[in-house]
Amino acid sequence: MLNVTPKPTDSPHKRLFILNRTLQTSTVLARIEEAEAAWIDPLVAGLAERTAPLADRAEWKLRLDGLLALERGGSPAGDYLAEKATREQFAHVVREFALDGLTEAQNFFPAVPRLPMRAQMAVMRVLIDEFGCGNLQQTHSQLYLDLLAELGLPQLLESFLDTTGDETYAFLNVFYWLTLRATHVEYFLGALAYLEASIPDAFTVQARACARLGLTQGRYYTEHLHIDTFHMREMQTAIKEYEAACGLDATKLWIGAQLLSQLIGGAFDAAVERAREAA
C-alpha cells in the first residue's frame, strides 16, 4: 500500500497506479474504474477488432511461439542498453522499472481465486518462486533492492513515483485490471504466459549490461533467465487445466499476450530513450 494522495498535476497513469496501491474504498474503486474505462477498454477493444478468432489452444501456442521468435531478434533499444549504455544510463533504466521490481508479482494474487483449483496450483508455483519460497534474500524484490543499492538509488517505493514514465505506469497498471476487473480471466492467463515466456530472452539484455559494466548485483536478471524457463511451462499447465475445467477462449489468451507485449515493449523502449536523453 502507498500512503500517498494523487495530485491534480499527476498524469492519469500515475494517478491510477497510486489508486491501485490504495485501500480500496468504494470511492477509490469508482475512480479506478473511471480511469480504466478511458484507457484499457479502448485498448482491448482495438486489439479485439484486429484479432481474427483463434480455433483452439494449439493455435494460441503457435501464435505465442511466433511472437516470441519475432521478439527474440531484439531491438535497437535493447542493443544499445546491452552494448553501449553507460552506468548512469543503465541506472536510469533500473530506476524506471523500480516500481515493478519492488512490487513484483504482488498484483497477481487476485487472479488465483478466479481459477479452477488445478490451474491455481500452477500459478501458485510461479508466485512461490517470485517470493523466494519464503526466503527474504531470494525474493525478486529483494534482488532488485540489492541492485538499486549498488547503483546508489533509493530503496523506498515512494521515491520512484516522480521518476517513472507513463509508459511504465501503463505496464504496471494493466495487471491490476487483468487480475481484478477484466471480465474474462483468459486475458490474464495469456498475458502472464507471454511475460514468463519472453523474459528469458528479454532479460539477457540487462544481464549483458550488468556484466559489461562490472555490476555485481545483477542477479535479479540472471535469476529470471533461469527460473522463468520453468514458469513458462507452469503457465501453459495453468491454461491447460483452465481449459479442462472451464473451457477456453483462445482468442482472449492471444489478446492478453498482445496487450502485454505492446505495453512492456513500449515501456522498455521509452525508458532507454529517456536514459539516452538524460545522459
Side-chain angles (χ1 to χ4, degrees), residues 185-226:
V185 77
E186 286 106 320
Y187 290 134
F188 165 76
L189 291 171
L192 188 56
Y194 159 77
L195 183 65
E196 299 292 354
S198 67
I199 289 295
D201 288 314
F203 272 9
T204 58
V205 167
Q206 289 90 336
R208 286 163 58 198
C210 285
R212 177 176 58 82
L213 295 168
L215 295 170
T216 61
Q217 297 296 335
R219 192 174 157 220
Y220 173 81
Y221 302 112
T222 55
E223 175 70 7
H224 280 87
L225 302 185
H226 163 70

Side-chain angles (χ1 to χ4, degrees), residues 3-82:
N3 186 22
V4 176
T5 301
K7 296 176 289 193
T9 54
D10 288 338
S11 72
H13 278 300
K14 180 182 176 183
R15 285 200 301 273
L16 181 56
F17 179 77
I18 293 172
L19 292 170
N20 275 320
R21 303 284 304 181
T22 300
L23 185 64
Q24 300 290 283
T25 65
S26 58
T27 302
V28 168
L29 183 57
R31 294 178 65 187
I32 288 172
E33 290 178 334
E34 181 182 12
E36 286 180 345
W39 163 58
I40 196 72
D41 289 357
L43 199 53
V44 173
L47 282 169
E49 286 179 6
R50 297 191 297 273
T51 301
L54 272 64
D56 51 25
R57 185 163 53 86
E59 186 176 2
W60 137 257
K61 189 65 170 54
L62 284 174
R63 295 283 188 97
L64 177 64
D65 290 345
L67 176 60
L68 294 171
L70 182 66
E71 293 182 348
R72 200 168 289 128
S75 68
D79 292 342
Y80 182 85
L81 191 66

Side-chain angles (χ1 to χ4, degrees), residues 241-260:
E241 296 294 351
Y242 183 87
E243 180 180 34
C246 306
L248 185 71
D249 186 334
T251 306
K252 290 185 171 57
L253 291 177
W254 180 229
I255 290 172
Q258 292 177 92
L259 176 65
L260 200 67

